[in-house]
Each structure stands twice: as structure tokens, then as C-alpha cells.
Amino acid sequence: MMSNVYLYLFWAAFAVAFYTYVGYGLVAWALARLRRLVRPRRPLAFFEPDVTLVVPAYNEADILADKVANCLALNYPRQKLRLVFITDGSTDNSAEVLARYPQVEHLHSPFRGGKSLAENRAMEFVRTPYVIFTDCNSFLNPEAVREMVKHYQDPQVGAVSGEKKVLAHDSASGAGEGLYWKYESFLKRCDSEIYSLMGAAGELVSFRSNLFQPLEKDTILDDFIQSLRIVEKGYRVVYEPAAYAAEAPSASLAEEMKRKIRICAGGWQSMVRLRSLLNPLRQPLVTFLYVSHRVLRWSLTPVALVLLLVLGAALAGLHGGFYAAFFAAQVLFYGLAYLGWRAESRGRSPKLLLVPLYFTSMNVAVFAGFRRYLRGTQSAAWEKAARTQPLEGNLSIPKA
């Protein structure tokens, strides 16, 4: 009897893990292709509305000049693009750097309230119908603004998200982050074509200004919650890969883990605050996309992976055969992840161990993030990320 229980739990866990990382990608790809056949894309007309570009920054004086230069190089009419930098809480010489540029409006407060409060405050000064937020350490391609705002010709589009590009790097953290974002970009394209993107990336995101909702001061994933609250209101969030933000990868696996734990803590906070999206009776398609792409990764799937390892060991002893081979494969996979972690900690680049290392660290971060969320120890205030190298102007941006 107990053996049967183990079998049911094992295959249930396998189904959850397989669907999350493989099955949903196949389903989303098929649905996106079907939607393209049923409703072909129509070319969008020329559209140049007034836009405000907001750059929140905390102690980023060393790259502010490059960021301003990147913003001024955007291919959009200067008189229609308002540039606002907000440096709440910065204690470096950001004000002196920004004072060199009369084209830039600088908002500052000595109080460090976090990115969400900084964005709330910036919105008090936005008078244009559309606003774009971009991180200070992300550099935009010249057509980014034009490619994003064109979608607002559709009245059902409430927000537009650009693509995040991670610059190539030899470290495991850099290569892993780049590989992850390539797969994420694929899923985002599918979600957007099926109906709506399930959460925007803060590196480059745009909103209809009148739909912006002030965020709670302790909000961790401001971009994610803001965009999905717009979806809650019945609007779509469009993914536009032709508008992209390039940034250097995390400096190390430890830095990448710190970032992922923060994201996972924010994921749990988001699932609580966006619980209406879990009700399939309200928006069934949204619930399907949201649960498949986001909720499973932050909740059931990491637990399923642990169950597969534990139950695999039990079933290997009870039945041998397939279960013994499956358990051995898991042990090998996680063993390779451990070797990759050891190599990375010694400054080596374990490219052959990249997939098990990044996959394992990503799921470990979910448990650490959940613990941090329960304890309420995850700060909403942003920290200056340690990156592999500074980005310098447009020359660092890869071609599309």
C-alpha cells in the first residue's frame, strides 16, 4: 500500500516538474502559433506621443554619465522625450554628475525609501500619457522608446515590456543568467502572443500613466506587481523584444544567488497580493498563463524536485529498474551542480556544469526566498549590484 502511495506522489511530482520546465514551453509555443494563424499581426502606424523616461538610481554616480549619454542617444524627438532621474537616498556625488546635463530633470530626497517609493514619487511629476522606467545599469538600444510606444495605439494595451539582454561573460553566473534569459524571452514572446505578458522586467518597462497605481512601500518586485495589476484591470501587457536593455551579468554566483533570493521572496509577496489572478472564474486565460509561467516556479515545483529525489531513493530500493536509474541520474545531476559550485567559488568557469549548477541554484533560491518572506527580512530598498564590468555607453550594447 505504501509503495503505491510513493508511486502516485512520485509521478505527480514528476508531472509538475516536467510541465513547469518543458511542458509549458511546448504548450505555449503551440498556442502562440495557433493565435498567429487565427489573428495575424497587423502593421502598426507611425506613432510619436509625448513620453517621460524615468531612471531610478541609488549611488550610481560612476555610471550616471554613461546612462545619460545613452538616454540622449535614443532615436526619439528630443522635444517629446522628457528625462527624469530620481536618486532618493543616494549619498555619493550623483547630484554633481547630473548637474552637468540641463536636459535632465533630477529629483532627489535624502530619505532612502526603496525603488517603489521612488517610482511613486517620480509619477507625481509625470505629465505625459506614457511613462518608461529603466534601471540605471541597463543600457537601451536607440529604437527602444519608439518600439515600445507604438503598441499604445491599441487601447487594450496597458503596459509594454522590453527585453533584458545579459552580456556574454565567461563566469558561470554570467553564462547561466544569459541562458536563463534566453529561455525566459521565448516564454515571454509566447505569453504576449497568446494574450498578455505575465509580469514585466524592471530593466525596461512602460505604462499608460493613468493606469499606474502607487505601490506599497515594502513592495519587492515593483515592476512585476505593477504590470500584473494592470492585467487585473483587464488590460494587456505586450512584450516587445525590439526594445531591449543590456546589462552586465552578476559578478559571481553569490551575487546572482542574492538577486534570485530577493526575486523569490518578492515572488511570494506578489502571489499573496495578486491572489485574484489565481481565480480562474475571473480571467481563466490569465490564470492559466500566470500559474504555468510564474506560480509553479515559486511554489510547487521546487517542492516537487525535492520529492522526486526522496521518493526516487525509496522507489529505487523497492522496485529497482527505472527508479534506480532515475535516482542515480538525479544524484549525478546534483553532484555536477555541487562540482560546478566548487569550481565557481575558486574562480573557474565550469561551462560543462552550467545547466545543473544554475538550475539547482535557482530552485534553492526559492526556499531561501520563502524563508526570508515569512520572516519579513527582505528589504524593499534596492542595493547597488556588483557586476562583472561597467557598461560604457552604446558600444556595450549587442546588436539585435
Side-chain angles (χ1 to χ4, degrees):
M1 180 64 70
M2 188 58 67
S3 175
N4 288 337
V5 173
Y6 289 165
L7 285 170
Y8 293 142
L9 288 175
F10 175 89
W11 286 108
F14 180 85
V16 170
F18 181 84
Y19 176 74
T20 301
Y21 291 111
V22 180
Y24 177 63
L26 296 174
V27 171
W29 173 79
L31 290 176
R33 287 203 64 181
L34 180 62
R35 181 56 65 96
R36 284 197 297 269
L37 291 174
V38 174
R39 191 180 62 190
R41 294 179 183 176
R42 296 180 180 178
L44 296 170
F46 182 78
F47 191 53
E48 278 187 352
D50 291 338
V51 183
T52 300
L53 180 68
V54 178
V55 183
Y58 172 70
N59 284 351
E60 298 281 13
D62 56 334
I63 61 171
L64 275 177
D66 288 331
K67 181 64 177 182
V68 172
N70 176 249
C71 292
L72 294 175
L74 293 171
N75 184 16
Y76 203 78
R78 184 78 275 279
Q79 69 276 16
K80 293 187 176 184
L81 182 62
R82 183 182 173 203
L83 302 179
V84 176
F85 280 65
I86 183 162
T87 58
D88 285 15
S90 289
T91 56
D92 58 7
N93 65 324
S94 294
E96 289 82 355
V97 175
L98 292 173
R100 304 176 204 154
Y101 303 95
Q103 312 96 318
V104 172
E105 297 179 50
H106 179 205
L107 305 177
H108 176 72
S109 169
F111 172 70
R112 185 186 177 197
K115 190 176 179 182
S116 295
L117 287 187
E119 292 180 353
N120 289 348
R121 181 166 175 261
M123 286 303 297
E124 296 175 6
F125 297 87
V126 172
R127 301 291 180 266
T128 57
Y130 311 106
V131 60
I132 297 174
F133 287 95
T134 178
D135 288 347
C136 193
N137 65 341
S138 298
F139 287 72
L140 313 183
N141 64 306
E143 300 299 323
V145 174
R146 193 179 302 279
E147 291 293 336
M148 295 184 83
V149 299
K150 69 182 182 183
H151 292 284
Y152 290 117
Q153 295 174 83
D154 182 346
Q156 284 303 115
V157 173
V160 181
S161 176
E163 180 174 359
K164 174 181 175 178
K165 287 183 181 288
V166 179
L167 300 180
H169 196 264
D170 290 338
S171 70
S173 60
E177 195 178 348
L179 183 64
Y180 170 79
W181 275 104
K182 286 179 181 178
Y183 183 59
E184 266 297 290
S185 297
F186 162 74
L187 292 180
K188 287 180 177 183
R189 285 189 182 93
C190 293
D191 287 351
S192 182
E193 290 188 34
I194 294 168
Y195 176 67
S196 173
L197 188 64
M198 291 296 106
E203 289 79 12
L204 180 59
V205 61
S206 169
F207 306 105
R208 289 186 186 271
S209 300
N210 64 337
L211 294 180
F212 186 93
Q213 182 176 335
L215 294 163
E216 299 87 344
K217 65 179 181 180
D218 64 340
T219 302
I220 300 170
L221 301 183
D222 52 285
D223 46 305
F224 184 82
I225 287 187
Q226 188 67 247
S227 57
L228 283 183
R229 281 181 172 167
I230 287 175
V231 174
E232 276 185 317
K233 297 174 184 177
Y235 292 87
R236 296 171 53 233
V237 179
V238 170
Y239 180 60
E240 179 48 75
Y244 55 88
E247 65 177 47
S250 300
S252 66
L253 190 60
E255 284 293 322
E256 178 64 6
M257 276 296 290
K258 182 170 36 172
R259 187 182 74 86
K260 285 206 167 294
I261 290 172
R262 183 181 188 278
I263 290 173
C264 292
W268 280 97
Q269 182 190 68
S270 301
M271 287 188 287
V272 172
R273 293 184 178 176
L274 297 167
R275 53 188 175 274
S276 68
L277 297 180
L278 298 175
N279 181 4
L281 299 179
R282 293 190 59 193
Q283 295 174 290
L285 184 54
V286 169
T287 299
F288 165 72
L289 295 173
Y290 178 53
V291 170
S292 297
H293 191 167
R294 299 296 185 181
V295 174
L296 288 177
R297 288 192 195 181
W298 287 334
S299 57
L300 290 181
T301 302
V303 176
L305 292 172
V306 173
L307 284 175
L308 282 175
L309 187 61
V310 174
L311 293 171
L315 291 172
L318 290 170
H319 300 287
F322 167 80
Y323 297 101
F326 190 85
F327 175 68
Q330 290 182 89
V331 172
L332 175 62
F333 184 86
Y334 294 122
L336 292 175
Y338 174 73
L339 292 176
W341 173 75
R342 289 290 302 272
E344 172 72 7
S345 65
R346 294 174 181 176
R348 299 173 185 172
S349 181
K351 293 183 179 180
L352 295 177
L353 308 177
L354 174 62
V355 172
L357 172 59
Y358 201 79
F359 179 86
T360 303
S361 63
M362 183 171 62
N363 283 283
V364 168
V366 173
F367 292 102
F370 179 58
R371 181 187 182 195
R372 192 173 291 183
Y373 168 70
L374 288 180
R375 292 185 171 187
T377 57
Q378 177 58 62
S379 172
W382 71 79
E383 296 181 20
K384 184 175 179 179
R387 294 282 166 179
T388 54
Q389 75 240 9
L391 294 179
E392 299 179 353
N394 292 329
L395 294 178
S396 295
I397 300 177
K399 295 181 180 179

